Amino acid sequence: MPWDEAAAATLTSPAGGTPLLERTGGHGPDWSGVPQYERRGACVIAPRGAYDMDSVAPLARALDRAAREYPVVVLDASGVTFADSTFLTLLIRAHRSGRLRLAAPSAQVRQICEITGVDGYLDVRDTVDDAVA
């Protein structure tokens, strides 16, 4: 499901960098566990684990919602242990919004970006701090 067509999540934005809560749309509440927080006016989304066509939907909803509400969206990819072409397609689509910055990509994410050449297309930063600056 394309990130910009997914059901929107509901974010609450407390002050002080406290995690944002995500409740995904669809068939009742789905507490997806995609950690999010606000830092320096940007929404930082910090997914953990493996992402493929069967597991990317909650992340797609989080990116979609964040892109609608924040001028900058940072994807902290340091905790992504597996990513396939579905994840990569999601990053490209999110990047087209002009708001996405990919921060601290794990070795696996860095490798898939380098192999495909997408690292030259995406706005990749070494750290979350660099991405929100």
Side-chain angles (χ1 to χ4, degrees), residues 49-94:
Y51 287 90
D52 59 21
M53 66 185 253
D54 293 326
S55 61
V56 78
L59 178 57
R61 288 189 291 268
L63 285 168
D64 179 50
R65 182 64 175 183
R68 293 173 196 235
E69 294 188 9
Y70 289 88
V72 174
V73 178
V74 174
L75 182 72
D76 174 358
S78 62
V80 176
T81 58
F82 174 80
D84 71 359
S85 62
T86 309
F87 179 84
L88 196 59
T89 299
L90 176 65
L91 294 183
I92 292 167
R93 288 184 176 161

Side-chain angles (χ1 to χ4, degrees), residues 30-42:
D30 171 20
W31 297 96
S32 66
V34 180
Q36 302 171 49
Y37 57 95
E38 187 174 296
R39 181 182 269 173
R40 296 185 190 161

